[in-house]
Amino acid sequence: MHYKFYALLNIKPSEYKIVRQLFLVQFFLGIATAFLFTSTLTMFLHSFSVQHIPEVYILSALLLLVANWGYSRLEHQLTSRKLLEKIILFSAGSLLFTWVTISFLDFKWLPFLLSAWNMVVYMLVSYAFWGMAAIIFNVRESKRIFAVVGSGDIPAKLMGYALVPVLTPFIGVNNLLWISVLAFVGAYHFLGKFQHRVVDRTVHAPHQSLMLAAQEKAPFRSSLITRLFYNRLIFSIALFSLIAFTVFALIDYTLLGEVKARFAKSPDLAIFIGVFFAVGRVLAIFFKLLFSSRVISRLGLTNALLLSPVVVLVLTGLLLLPGESVNTILYIFGVMVLLSEVLKSAVQEPAFFILFQPLEPHVRLKGHLVAKGYMLPFALLGSGAFLLLCYELRGELGIHFIAQVLFVLLVLWISSVFLVKKEYLRTLVRAIRKGWFTGSELFLHDGPVQELLLSKATSNNPKDVLLALELLERSGYRKLKQLLEHQFDSPFYEVRRFVLASLIRLEGKNVLDLVQQQLASEKPDPLKPELLKAYYSLVPEISVADQAAMASMEPVAYQAALVGFLQRQNEDAKEVVQIALNAMVDTGNAPHQQLVLDILWEAPASGFQEVLGKLLNSDFEPIYKKAIETVGRVKEFSLLGQVVETAKTHQAWHALQKSLVYFGDPVFTAEALKSRAQAAFVRAVVLAAGKVKGENSTEFLLDLLAREEGPTGDVIEALWLKQAEMSNEGQKNLDAWLSKNLASCLQKTSVCRELRTKPELQLLATTLTREINQDVLLLLKGLALRYDRQQIGRVMSLLKLHDESRMANAIEILEHLIPKACFLQLDRILDFTSESPDEGNNPNVRIKHEVPASMMVASIIQNTQMQCSAWTRSVACYLLPQLGISSAQMILSDEERLPQDLLFQETKEYVLSALK
């Protein structure tokens, strides 16, 4: 099949085989039900008056309730394919029995019974077929495929209705049942050839049914609705279906009444019914096959449900206008019947079945049975009872009266759509919601709990001790200081360090004495640096002897002592440290300079501009990089300009990024950061802004986005990371970015499909595919900034899991969160990301006019609107020698259209040298 044929049907090439098989089964089922409907309706109208139609409705309702009970029993015992096979054989057998009865017995009420049985056969076949289809496809696939698969019903019924006027004069109405039987045999034959791993697997075993039902019932555990409908979505769809079935039942009744009044002979009835419904199927076949899935996609699934009731409501309103002639009313009603049939089969039925797709497979099948199987009999029962009552009270029922009733029902029908829309979105959210672990609460203030913690505080496991001490501190334990002092002699270094920090934080009275006792010990102690910090920060006065002792200390101890000085936070101590640091810096010794930076890093303090300025001028890479970061750590804004210049000189972008993060939000108002000299510099500043909370950094990023300067992808990433609140102006700029990048990404998908058809360009196709996947995540982050961050964040998480069913539900949520135009473009991109790369190599999927490989590579390299990354363009450049010297030189000769980044230029030089 040609690629354009798949595009016309809105299906993927990989789906063609299964769609064709299902289409054939549905086609023969459609022929069977079409001839059954025509023959039974003709026999009924010939033998009975329209006043008996309400009685047929009531009998049909009772038979359907019994059939539903039997169907639900079989559903738990058979696979979906076996279930459909048995229903087809049962239907064919019942029609054979009926033909024998009609042909050899004079049973006056048989047409009446057969009219009711017609609905039972149609519904059972529909349950089983669509139940099987529902468990094969996810919600995303269903939106495209159900309309195409269901369209097999339309040409079948068109053929059936068209052949009735031709065959009836020759074989009679009764023998039309034989065609239905043969069509059922054909459906059984093609169903036997159908193969799919899902349809032969039992997904609705009884024990699983109970489990899934219990999960779905949780929202209203004690409600009657729980026992009947399983969840809110099924309940809302059931209400929608009940009203819709009632409307169609009243429309059918009125149509049959008018037909009966104008045709008395059985052949004439059959011919009219066949021609009338054939016209409807001609209209439906084009709409359903070519436009149905696209209408559902463009309007949205739940919005598409409004189409039928709104159109019928408008026509019903015309029927109620005063002064219309009888013929005009009949014409309007005929148009209404045709359009309602077209919209019912082309839009409403596919959308109806898609609504259940977010549910678990078993609950999905239960939903079909409840919303259609049980609502139809109740609708027929209500319609029949209502019509019988009206006959008793009013006598004849005209079109005008039925139109008044329909108007009220249509308003209710439209209202029910909004309920369905609300519950559908809620179900989608629940289908993708992440589980959260919830444990028992720890009551820290309870006596038994504290006793347990105290016993753990003396454990031989240091981790247990640390956890116990931390929890006791959180609980406000009154004797905590005494307990900590007791643990100061712990054999575990981690415990002693924690105890020392806790005692200093809690201002323990004896902590200085404990520190001095530990320092007086001559034993090697790994905690000595921490003890020195504590001593020099806590001792009331620093003696001359203490200062003299510092000069002879080892570097680690000396660093600890100076850190302790800085922690005193007084000018005298700071002056002592400043003299010491200046002396170490002036030595020019790298280890001494590193020690200076370590001290200022550990105890950030202002007033050391001179020291840090000297270190920024160092030519030793570890020193100037650490100095850049330390200036931000101590928040020395006076040195920001020098930090920026040092980073630019030495290309120390990562150090600059870390420094700006330490500076915090206020730094992003500085003029020094508004330089646009180097792309790498701007990128470092953007990445830093993404890690900082505050309005200044957000305004800085939004300004870049508005000017379209720098790496806009990194700007979006940064805004996403910092969970920025977008201003009105920022939202407009973001909308412009989204529009531009959606168009760019769509271009990439088109080019990538072409690349996949060229074996020599598979490396480039793989590279571009990865870039598109990255673009999708970036687009979703941009959409999350503009719309619902939480829900779109869940969508992003599920896309990374590569679980098809959950991904489909997640994407379906997007349709309800973002504008329709935006979603339609993103939807096409997401469809591409889910395609198998092998599809491009399938000879059946070849594009008729193949694009030369040189043009594909040129489009990657030279098309600036497509915005391919430097890496993808460099890969395309790398592959040029495979295309021939002339093509490569032609592409690389247009210097103005070539990327100017370093990676591409180096690759270009390599390629040109290889071509010589």
Side-chain angles (χ1 to χ4, degrees):
M1 299 297 290
H2 197 276
Y3 176 81
K4 290 184 178 179
F5 179 69
Y6 300 127
L8 183 66
L9 296 182
N10 198 26
I11 63 173
K12 297 179 181 179
S14 59
E15 298 165 344
Y16 170 71
K17 183 177 180 180
I18 188 172
V19 170
R20 181 188 62 186
Q21 291 173 325
L22 289 173
F23 181 92
L24 288 172
V25 175
Q26 177 72 339
F27 177 79
F28 280 94
L29 291 177
I31 291 178
T33 53
F35 277 95
L36 175 61
F37 170 77
T38 306
S39 57
T40 55
L41 187 58
T42 302
M43 286 186 280
F44 174 82
L45 291 178
H46 178 71
S47 304
F48 296 91
S49 66
V50 293
Q51 282 81 1
H52 289 287
I53 292 177
E55 297 171 3
V56 172
Y57 284 171
I58 294 173
L59 178 60
S60 298
L62 297 176
L63 291 175
L64 279 170
L65 290 174
V66 175
N68 289 337
W69 175 82
Y71 180 89
S72 64
R73 296 290 296 272
L74 288 175
E75 183 187 28
H76 298 315
Q77 301 171 12
L78 303 173
T79 64
S80 56
R81 190 228 293 267
K82 289 293 183 182
L83 181 61
L84 180 56
E85 287 178 346
K86 288 189 177 297
I87 286 177
I88 289 174
L89 293 177
F90 172 73
S91 301
S94 67
L95 296 186
L96 276 176
F97 176 79
T98 302
W99 180 85
V100 171
T101 306
I102 291 175
S103 301
F104 299 101
L105 297 176
D106 185 16
F107 185 35
K108 179 182 178 181
W109 287 95
L110 188 59
F112 180 90
L113 297 175
L114 189 57
S115 296
W117 186 246
N118 164 50
M119 293 189 184
V120 175
V121 170
Y122 177 80
M123 290 304 298
L124 287 176
V125 169
S126 178
Y127 298 157
F129 177 81
W130 288 109
M132 183 178 71
I135 63 174
I136 296 175
F137 305 109
N138 61 44
V139 65
R140 302 274 304 136
E141 296 165 338
S142 302
K143 292 178 72 173
R144 293 180 294 99
I145 293 174
F146 275 14
V148 180
V149 170
S151 63
D153 177 69
I154 299 177
K157 290 185 176 179
L158 172 61
M159 182 188 303
Y161 296 138
L163 286 175
V164 165
V166 177
L167 296 176
T168 301
F170 298 101
I171 66 174
V173 175
N174 296 354
N175 291 324
L176 294 177
L177 293 176
W178 269 106
I179 300 178
S180 292
V181 173
L182 294 175
F184 275 129
V185 172
Y188 183 85
H189 168 73
F190 284 103
L191 181 61
K193 292 185 174 182
F194 180 69
Q195 294 181 350
H196 196 280
R197 66 183 187 280
V198 174
V199 299
D200 290 321
R201 186 175 66 224
T202 303
V203 296
H204 33 258
H207 68 279
Q208 189 177 11
S209 305
L210 296 174
M211 179 184 69
L212 292 170
Q215 292 174 353
E216 294 293 331
K217 290 178 182 180
F220 14 17
R221 197 173 299 273
S222 60
S223 171
L224 177 63
I225 294 176
T226 305
R227 296 189 292 273
L228 296 178
F229 298 100
Y230 292 91
N231 67 20
R232 294 176 185 269
L233 178 60
I234 295 177
F235 169 70
S236 61
I237 298 174
L239 183 61
F240 167 88
S241 301
L242 180 64
I243 301 172
F245 287 141
T246 304
V247 168
F248 288 126
L250 293 176
I251 290 176
D252 290 343
Y253 161 78
T254 308
L255 172 67
L256 295 178
E258 296 301 321
V259 170
K260 175 67 175 178
R262 284 163 174 74
F263 299 96
K265 296 181 180 179
S266 178
D268 293 337
L269 279 170
I271 291 171
F272 174 80
I273 292 170
V275 171
F276 183 85
F277 284 102
V279 172
R281 296 299 156 175
V282 169
L283 295 174
I285 190 169
F286 292 105
F287 189 85
K288 187 169 186 177
L289 195 60
L290 303 181
F291 303 111
S292 181
S293 62
R294 291 178 172 84
V295 167
I296 293 173
S297 296
R298 186 163 294 276
L299 292 180
L301 179 59
T302 50
N303 291 334
L305 296 175
L306 286 169
L307 201 56
S308 293
V310 168
V311 170
V312 177
L313 181 66
V314 171
L315 293 173
T316 303
L318 294 177
L319 291 175
L320 295 175
L321 291 177
E324 297 289 352
S325 65
V326 175
N327 287 335
T328 302
I329 290 175
L330 286 175
Y331 289 139
I332 293 174
F333 186 79
V335 170
M336 183 176 76
V337 173
L338 284 176
L339 287 179
S340 65
E341 282 293 317
V342 170
L343 293 174
K344 177 184 176 183
S345 62
V347 178
Q348 182 173 310
E349 286 186 353
F352 172 85
F353 287 111
I354 297 168
L355 286 172
F356 296 97
Q357 294 305 97
L359 299 172
E360 294 286 345
H362 169 76
V363 181
R364 195 181 302 167
L365 299 177
K366 278 293 182 184
H368 290 181
L369 185 61
V370 170
K372 193 168 186 179
Y374 287 107
M375 291 304 105
L376 178 58
F378 282 113
L380 292 174
L381 196 61
S383 300
F386 172 76
L387 292 171
L388 288 176
L389 180 62
C390 290
Y391 273 124
E392 291 293 328
L393 299 177
R394 297 175 55 91
E396 293 294 327
L397 303 180
I399 292 180
H400 192 269
F401 172 74
I402 296 296
Q404 291 175 329
V405 177
L406 287 176
F407 192 88
V408 175
L409 289 173
L410 288 165
V411 172
L412 295 175
W413 189 4
I414 292 172
S415 301
S416 70
V417 173
F418 294 99
L419 177 62
V420 171
K421 184 174 184 178
K422 174 184 175 183
E423 297 303 333
Y424 179 70
L425 180 57
R426 180 182 295 177
T427 302
L428 279 172
V429 172
R430 189 163 57 244
I432 69 167
R433 182 173 296 154
K434 296 177 182 178
W436 297 93
F437 174 75
T438 55
S440 57
E441 185 67 24
L442 183 61
F443 297 98
L444 295 176
H445 299 281
D446 287 357
V449 174
Q450 289 196 346
E451 289 179 8
L452 175 63
L453 293 176
L454 287 171
S455 66
K456 290 291 184 181
T458 58
S459 169
N460 291 325
N461 186 336
K463 292 183 179 179
D464 288 347
V465 176
L466 290 172
L467 180 59
L469 292 175
E470 182 182 353
L471 292 176
L472 285 168
E473 183 177 344
R474 286 170 51 190
S475 70
Y477 179 58
R478 289 181 298 174
K479 298 182 180 181
L480 179 64
K481 291 180 182 178
Q482 294 90 319
L483 179 62
L484 290 171
E485 291 172 1
H486 176 72
Q487 289 290 340
F488 206 80
D489 294 323
S490 172
F492 305 115
Y493 166 77
E494 302 92 336
V495 175
R496 294 176 62 210
R497 185 177 179 181
F498 176 84
V499 167
L500 177 61
S502 297
L503 285 172
I504 293 173
R505 185 173 60 253
L506 298 172
E507 299 179 353
K509 295 180 181 179
N510 301 324
V511 63
L512 182 57
D513 294 337
L514 292 171
V515 168
Q516 289 175 322
Q517 290 174 14
Q518 295 289 333
L519 287 173
S521 174
E522 296 182 359
K523 295 179 180 179
D525 190 350
L527 194 63
K528 186 173 181 180
E530 301 298 326
L531 293 169
L532 286 169
K533 291 178 194 175
Y535 174 77
Y536 281 100
S537 66
L538 295 174
V539 67
E541 293 183 6
I542 306 295
S543 65
V544 177
D546 289 332
Q547 294 187 38
M550 289 172 56
S552 61
M553 289 181 179
E554 295 179 355
V556 175
Y558 189 47
Q559 174 185 342
L562 290 177
V563 168
F565 264 106
L566 283 179
Q567 289 175 344
R568 298 175 69 87
Q569 297 182 353
N570 60 61
E571 292 301 321
D572 292 339
K574 185 182 292 186
E575 185 178 349
V576 172
V577 175
Q578 197 159 31
I579 294 171
L581 297 185
N582 273 316
M584 284 190 286
V585 170
D586 291 339
T587 63
N589 183 288
H592 288 172
Q593 292 178 341
Q594 184 68 48
L595 185 61
V596 170
L597 292 170
D598 290 340
I599 292 168
L600 292 176
W601 184 270
E602 190 171 355
S606 60
F608 293 89
Q609 301 94 320
E610 184 180 352
V611 172
L612 289 170
K614 293 176 182 178
L615 295 174
L616 285 171
N617 292 326
S618 173
D619 294 327
F620 189 47
E621 182 178 350
I623 299 300
Y624 67 70
K625 283 187 175 181
K626 186 69 173 181
I628 290 172
E629 297 176 19
T630 306
V631 170
R633 174 96 169 158
V634 301
K635 294 182 170 51
E636 194 57 71
F637 283 89
S638 62
L639 294 176
L640 178 62
Q642 189 176 350
V643 165
V644 170
E645 291 305 317
T646 302
K648 288 181 178 179
T649 301
H650 297 288
Q651 304 280 301
W653 307 125
H654 185 65
L656 175 64
Q657 179 186 336
K658 293 176 69 175
S659 180
L660 294 177
V661 173
Y662 286 120
F663 268 115
D665 191 60
V667 77
F668 291 94
T669 60
E671 290 296 324
L673 299 185
K674 297 183 180 178
S675 170
R676 307 293 190 257
Q678 293 174 283
F681 166 73
V682 180
R683 186 171 189 271
V685 179
V686 167
L687 294 177
K691 298 178 180 179
V692 175
K693 301 295 182 183
E695 296 181 359
N696 295 323
S697 52
T698 300
E699 289 300 322
F700 176 85
L701 293 171
L702 292 177
D703 181 61
L704 285 178
L705 186 63
R707 296 168 183 259
E708 296 187 358
E709 296 181 359
T712 53
D714 290 325
V715 171
I716 299 299
E717 184 79 32
L719 289 168
W720 158 262
L721 284 174
K722 74 196 309 291
Q723 301 184 23
E725 294 293 334
M726 306 295 290
S727 62
N728 291 335
E729 188 65 27
Q731 290 179 1
K732 292 179 182 178
N733 295 332
L734 185 57
D735 287 340
W737 179 87
L738 285 167
S739 176
K740 180 179 178 180
N741 281 268
L742 280 167
S744 167
C745 199
L746 275 173
Q747 281 188 338
K748 292 177 185 178
T749 61
S750 177
V751 171
C752 195
R753 284 195 177 98
E754 294 171 350
L755 290 172
R756 289 175 175 177
T757 65
K758 301 290 184 181
E760 67 273 22
L761 297 179
Q762 290 309 298
L763 175 62
L764 183 56
T766 302
T767 304
L768 187 56
T769 299
R770 291 173 180 168
E771 181 175 330
I772 292 169
N773 289 331
Q774 294 172 353
D775 288 347
V776 167
L777 288 177
L778 192 62
L779 285 167
L780 288 171
K781 289 176 180 179
L783 290 167
L785 286 168
R786 184 67 176 84
Y787 303 103
D788 191 325
R789 179 184 179 89
Q790 183 181 14
Q791 297 293 358
I792 296 178
R794 286 175 176 166
V795 171
M796 293 168 59
S797 299
L798 290 174
L799 287 177
K800 294 176 182 178
L801 297 177
H802 302 292
D803 183 327
E804 290 187 10
S805 61
R806 299 187 73 188
M807 285 169 60
N809 290 343
I811 297 171
E812 186 70 7
I813 282 184
L814 286 174
E815 185 175 358
H816 301 267
L817 300 177
I818 63 178
K820 179 60 66 175
C822 185
F823 174 76
L824 291 174
Q825 295 181 76
L826 183 61
D827 188 34
R828 290 166 59 190
I829 299 169
L830 291 169
D831 279 342
F832 169 82
T833 61
S834 64
E835 289 178 3
S836 169
D838 296 333
E839 289 181 10
N841 296 323
N842 188 339
N844 293 329
V845 192
R846 297 279 186 180
I847 300 174
K848 187 174 182 180
H849 304 289
E850 292 190 6
V851 181
S854 58
M855 291 184 62
M856 296 182 191
V857 175
S859 67
I860 296 288
I861 295 174
Q862 299 177 347
N863 189 343
T864 56
Q865 292 182 347
M866 195 156 52
Q867 300 177 354
C868 287
S869 68
W871 176 256
T872 301
R873 290 179 172 185
S874 298
V875 171
C877 182
Y878 175 77
L879 295 175
L880 282 175
Q882 300 182 25
L883 307 181
I885 296 177
S886 59
S887 297
Q889 291 179 338
M890 180 183 65
I891 293 172
L892 295 178
S893 63
D894 192 351
E895 192 66 35
E896 293 183 359
R897 301 181 66 182
L898 296 180
Q900 300 303 313
D901 58 86
L902 182 61
L903 178 62
F904 182 84
Q905 290 299 321
E906 290 181 351
T907 308
K908 185 187 77 170
E909 295 300 325
Y910 165 77
V911 169
L912 290 175
S913 65
L915 292 174
K916 291 181 181 179

